[in-house]
Every structure is written in structure tokens, then in C-alpha cells.
Amino acid sequence: MLKTLLATAAMTFIAGAAYACPNIGFSGPTINASATQLYSAQNYNVTAGGSSDVSRCGIRTYNGVSPTGWVAQSPDFELNYYKDANYSLELRVVSNCDSVLLINDGDGDWFFDDDSNGSSANDALLHINNPASGTYDIWIGTYGPQTCAAQLQIETF
């Protein structure tokens, strides 16, 4: 009986350890931009979604939200942001599916949104007031396990 319990515990640990979650140690395509450069919106095409169910990853955002949805393990983009003006930073997703947006900033804070983009009830939008200079890891995901074509829009105000 004890051997069975130990084997079950070991398999559970191995299965949990093997599960792929968003990894801030991995890199994605790099976007280098300043606040003034982003005053004109920049658009980036991407395939939204992935194999990581973020609801299983134990991520908590800066305001206590538990993200849901499916993303890749590596960020879709890394934004190296330089604050050369006192603007807010806005990241939007436009897609033909229910998109989610997950961001980790240079301070290790997580940001998440599911349906805030006013252009579509199913797209994501994050507005960051007073963003600091640094690297922002960005995942564009989907609410369900499917993938779809999407566009990340980045702009400052």
C-alpha cells in the first residue's frame, strides 16, 4: 500500500512538473520602442493561443486576478520599452476569436485581460498608467484551446 501511495505521489509530481506554463525566462520576437515612437500605433501579426492552460499555472496578477485561457510557453513578443515621455501604454488584441492578453513587466508584475477591447466584446485590452522603462513579456492567447489569427496593437497616449 505504501509503495502504491509513493508511486502515485511521484507520478503526480512528475506530471505537474512537466506541465508547461508561460515562462518569463524564454524570449520571443523583440520590439524596441520608446513612448514617443508608440504615439502612433504599431501593429504586429501573431497566432493567438497555445498549449499552456494558464489557469493551471498559479499566476496572480498585480490586482489579484487569476488568468484564464491558453497561451504559448514562450512570449509572443518582448517589448523593450523606453519611457522618454509621460504617456500611458495600451496593448490591444484584434482577432476573430475570443482573445486573452497576458503580460509580465520588468518588475515581475503580471497583467491580464480577457474582454475589455471595445472594438470587439471578445478581444483583450490592457491600459498601463505610468509604465516604467523595461522589458514587457507579452502573450496573446485564446479563451479556449483553439488558435486563431490575431493582431497586437501597441500605442501610447
Side-chain angles (χ1 to χ4, degrees), residues 47-112:
T47 298
S51 60
S52 297
D53 178 356
V54 294
S55 68
R56 296 180 57 191
C57 295
I59 295 171
R60 295 273 188 246
T61 65
Y62 74 98
N63 60 353
V65 172
S66 296
T68 56
W70 296 80
V71 299
Q73 188 176 13
S74 296
D76 291 295
F77 298 101
E78 285 190 331
L79 170 62
N80 290 324
Y81 180 76
Y82 176 67
K83 182 177 182 170
D84 62 350
N86 194 24
Y87 297 143
S88 296
L89 177 64
E90 188 168 280
L91 299 99
R92 300 179 296 272
V93 178
V94 176
S95 71
N96 58 1
C97 64
D98 190 354
S99 68
V100 299
L101 184 57
L102 180 68
I103 297 174
N104 185 271
D105 71 9
D107 291 331
D109 290 328
W110 289 95
F111 299 81
F112 173 79

Side-chain angles (χ1 to χ4, degrees), residues 19-39:
Y19 185 76
C21 288
N23 189 326
I24 60 173
F26 291 174
S27 60
T30 302
I31 300 166
N32 295 305
S34 68
T36 54
Q37 289 171 323
L38 293 173
Y39 198 73

